[in-house]
Amino acid sequence: MKRGLNAVCYEQEMYLYFEREASLEETDFYEITLSDGQYIQTRHTNASFYGLKEETRYEAELYLCQSGEKKLLDKAVFVTTAFRPRLDVTKAPYFAIGDGKTMNTEALQKVFNEAGDRTVYFPNGRYLTGALTLNSGTELYLEEDAVIVGSADPNDYLPLVSSRSEGLHMHCYQSLINVGEIDPDGGCNARDIRIRGGSIIGGGIPLMERMEENAIEFTGDYIDSLSEEELATFDRGVATINGRLRGRLIEMRNTENVVISNVSLGKGPYWNVHFIYCDNVVVHGCNINTRGIHNGDGLNPDSSTNVTVFDCTFDTGDNCIAIKSGRNPEGNILKRPTKHVRIFDIKGAGGGIAIGSELSGGCEDVLAWNLELSMSSSGFGIKTTRKRGGLIKDIHVYDSILTNIRLSAAYTCNNDGEGANELTKLENISYDNCVILGQGYTIFYGEENINKVEKKNVPSILMIGFDEGQTFKDICFSNLKLKKKEQGVRHMFEVDNLSGIDFGAMKTVE
């Protein structure tokens, strides 16, 4: 994402987005204009334009409006795309049936295999299917009430495929939507994927439970080889080992040039949108719901570069977004960081946004702003363990509402396996102009708890370093605002094994 105007263009739609200029005062706003006369005034850093003409050149201008003055920040030219021929999945020779009952895997896979330069088109309906593979150049378009529904039978996601789960390469169940082949040492082998409109919904809690149960067929010999002491290092014992084999909702491996636009996603049996070794990814206008799913992250950039996520809402069974880069020692050896990530104009309930805990390959150049995470269990944080290693640098969060700030070396999950040769390093981390609530919401798993909500007080700032090494450097807070709590309840701060932190000035706000 370049500094000025960027765009996702379709035939009659254009989605412009850009990096923040600075914190806006109460009366400040941006104005985005198109050469056809349309304009939008907003305090967000994205704008959507509709009713455009196909294959048409549009000049766009971006202004910052402050104190009655209008400052030109950037201007650019964008061209809408041509209409692509549509391949209707319900027509001959495919005859997919959108009744929510008929299994369509074979018919739908045939469509994707034969689509070529045509858009794969889903009219309104519910299309039940098992695992599907998309080829380079695929555009998948769903009407507003069209839903791709994942089967709840693990057998519909076999055979196992090479993947990466909780930071380790292994064979896993296929995902509902699969793109590319994993290659930790190579570049991209799939490209130019567009998914837009409608909904893609996985097999949910039943599939999650059945995949964990059935995975013993593939993990049994390994589990039998472990001593009781070794098995005890896994958080949930056998369930953790089996759970790592679960497929995702969408998994893209070694894929470049990806756009996912205005899709409702969710109920995958594990993480939902997982990008492994990918480059140039844009996700916008999406609603991701994974409530009740254990490890139900919404979106995971994993050793991927140039990832932009904006104008999305999350209600998740774990982190809304979790940035990852492999786990010790594998991630340390590969050293493929996730870098150049932009996250903005996000509203999230669930586990907040995190870097880690599988961050052994490193992470750098992450900017996030206008995050509304007041209904999450945590805000925007970094979580690691003394085993992870990796360099995390140049992480900056602005203009956001966060339950808390957590930079922790005391994370205990996924602590099995051999450790790294050095401790994780954090460098040049900042939070500016953020409201801190000091309260969060517990995440519950399983069907019986799916609507359960429990508010709790959490440390407003939790920072725990390593007792044997000062590896957290240049941590800066500025213009933090502590949300006033009910009478008698104070904000809590927990800081341990750290020094030289600049907390700046803080104030309490209503």
Side-chain angles (χ1 to χ4, degrees):
M1 176 178 170
K2 67 181 180 67
R3 176 71 180 175
L5 281 165
N6 301 264
V8 172
C9 296
Y10 293 108
E11 303 96 326
Q12 296 179 323
E13 305 162 19
M14 185 181 297
Y15 302 92
L16 296 175
Y17 58 99
F18 48 94
E19 285 194 12
R20 69 187 279 281
E21 178 69 11
S23 298
L24 299 182
E25 299 297 331
E26 188 173 346
T27 58
D28 296 346
F29 58 91
Y30 297 101
E31 182 175 291
I32 306 97
T33 67
L34 290 188
S35 50
D36 68 349
Q38 292 191 66
Y39 72 93
I40 290 175
Q41 294 178 337
T42 178
R43 288 172 59 84
H44 290 170
T45 52
N46 77 91
S48 304
F49 292 90
Y50 304 97
L52 306 180
K53 297 179 180 179
E54 66 169 314
E55 293 187 282
T56 301
R57 181 179 182 272
Y58 289 88
E59 296 179 5
E61 295 181 337
L62 169 64
Y63 296 91
L64 175 62
C65 302
Q66 290 180 307
S67 304
E69 296 186 359
K70 193 172 175 179
K71 174 186 175 184
L72 178 65
L73 299 179
D74 192 30
K75 57 183 178 180
V77 173
F78 302 105
V79 180
T80 52
T81 62
F83 277 103
R84 288 172 46 143
R86 288 183 172 181
L87 197 57
D88 189 329
V89 301
T90 66
K91 303 298 184 183
Y94 311 109
F95 300 115
I97 299 174
D99 61 1
K101 300 176 183 179
T102 304
M103 279 296 293
N104 293 287
T105 310
E106 185 176 346
L108 295 179
Q109 190 58 64
K110 182 176 174 63
V111 177
F112 286 118
N113 290 345
E114 298 179 355
D117 60 358
R118 294 172 291 181
T119 295
V120 177
Y121 171 69
F122 285 75
N124 291 334
R126 295 178 63 84
Y127 300 87
L128 183 64
T129 180
L132 299 169
T133 299
L134 275 56
N135 303 304
S136 290
T138 295
E139 179 172 79
L140 191 168
Y141 179 80
L142 299 110
E143 288 288 1
E144 183 178 0
D145 293 324
V147 187
I148 296 176
V149 181
S151 158
D153 184 349
N155 294 316
D156 293 326
Y157 303 88
L158 292 174
L160 303 185
V161 294
S162 183
S163 182
R164 194 188 211 185
S165 180
E166 293 191 336
L168 299 177
H169 290 99
M170 61 182 65
H171 281 80
C172 300
Y173 282 98
Q174 294 181 58
S175 301
L176 180 56
I177 302 293
N178 303 268
V179 183
E181 296 181 1
I182 197 164
D183 182 359
D185 301 314
C188 293
N189 51 56
R191 54 192 48 82
D192 303 328
I193 302 295
R194 289 194 166 200
I195 300 174
R196 57 176 172 143
S199 303
I200 302 175
I201 304 299
I205 293 171
L207 181 59
M208 172 190 75
E209 294 173 343
R210 291 166 189 166
M211 279 187 170
E212 285 197 353
E213 292 169 0
N214 289 16
I216 194 68
E217 174 185 351
F218 308 104
T219 62
D221 291 343
Y222 170 67
I223 291 169
D224 290 342
S225 73
L226 297 174
S227 67
E228 289 187 14
E229 183 179 32
E230 289 172 323
L231 188 58
T233 64
F234 294 89
D235 306 327
R236 298 185 296 140
V238 170
T240 291
I241 298 170
N242 288 345
R244 288 175 178 168
L245 270 66
R246 286 173 287 166
R248 288 47 150 190
L249 183 74
I250 298 174
E251 182 173 275
M252 299 197 186
R253 319 167 193 109
N254 293 79
T255 305
E256 64 182 348
N257 303 333
V258 176
V259 180
I260 302 178
S261 297
N262 303 314
V263 189
S264 291
L265 304 163
K267 302 306 179 186
Y270 190 21
W271 301 346
N272 275 257
V273 185
H274 189 190
F275 299 108
I276 311 169
Y277 307 131
C278 293
D279 180 59
N280 193 23
V281 173
V282 178
V283 179
H284 74 94
C286 294
N287 175 39
I288 301 179
N289 187 317
T290 70
R291 185 180 285 226
I293 303 293
H294 191 267
N295 307 120
D297 289 357
L299 190 147
N300 299 77
D302 192 348
S303 290
S304 292
T305 52
N306 301 304
V307 178
T308 301
V309 184
F310 68 92
D311 190 29
C312 292
T313 60
F314 296 84
D315 187 353
T316 53
D318 207 326
N319 293 118
C320 300
I321 300 173
I323 299 171
K324 300 178 180 293
S325 61
R327 183 148 66 88
N328 50 285
E330 188 174 275
N332 311 108
I333 296 169
L334 289 172
K335 290 185 178 178
R336 293 192 64 162
T338 292
K339 56 185 179 180
H340 312 316
V341 178
R342 302 294 182 262
I343 303 169
F344 54 96
D345 299 339
I346 297 296
K347 185 172 184 178
I353 299 175
I355 299 174
S357 69
E358 301 88 58
L359 45 66
S360 301
C363 179
E364 58 188 79
D365 185 28
V366 177
L367 302 184
W369 63 92
N370 196 25
L371 313 175
E372 208 284 73
L373 302 176
S374 58
M375 292 296 292
S376 295
S377 62
S378 58
F380 189 111
I382 302 171
K383 50 188 182 181
T384 186
T385 81
R386 65 184 58 256
K387 284 188 171 185
R388 288 288 187 266
L391 172 62
I392 313 301
K393 68 175 184 177
D394 304 331
I395 314 298
H396 305 290
V397 183
Y398 312 97
D399 308 337
S400 295
I401 301 173
L402 309 176
T403 54
N404 71 340
I405 294 171
R406 180 175 66 176
L407 309 178
S408 177
Y411 196 70
T412 58
C413 289
N414 299 331
N415 223 16
D416 52 286
E418 181 184 347
N421 293 324
E422 58 183 16
L423 300 173
T424 306
K425 296 178 181 178
L426 271 61
E427 298 178 0
N428 191 23
I429 315 294
S430 72
Y431 291 78
D432 177 62
N433 194 41
C434 294
V435 176
I436 310 300
L437 304 181
Q439 66 182 30
Y441 291 82
T442 301
I443 296 174
F444 294 97
Y445 307 114
E447 199 72 56
E448 68 278 11
N449 295 319
I450 202 163
N451 294 314
K452 189 175 180 181
V453 176
E454 183 180 286
K455 186 166 68 174
K456 61 179 180 179
N457 287 320
V458 297
S460 300
I461 296 179
L462 185 151
M463 299 177 63
I464 301 176
F466 298 106
D467 53 9
E468 68 268 47
Q470 296 294 324
T471 66
F472 290 17
K473 299 178 181 179
D474 299 323
I475 312 296
C476 180
F477 303 94
S478 56
N479 304 313
L480 294 190
K481 303 172 180 65
L482 305 178
K483 185 72 172 178
K484 186 176 181 180
K485 294 193 169 193
E486 58 195 66
Q487 189 172 3
V489 180
R490 296 185 176 184
H491 283 266
M492 300 179 290
F493 298 83
E494 184 176 343
V495 181
D496 196 10
N497 295 325
L498 292 171
S499 63
I501 308 301
D502 182 2
F503 285 97
M506 300 184 190
K507 64 180 181 180
T508 302
V509 296
E510 294 293 335

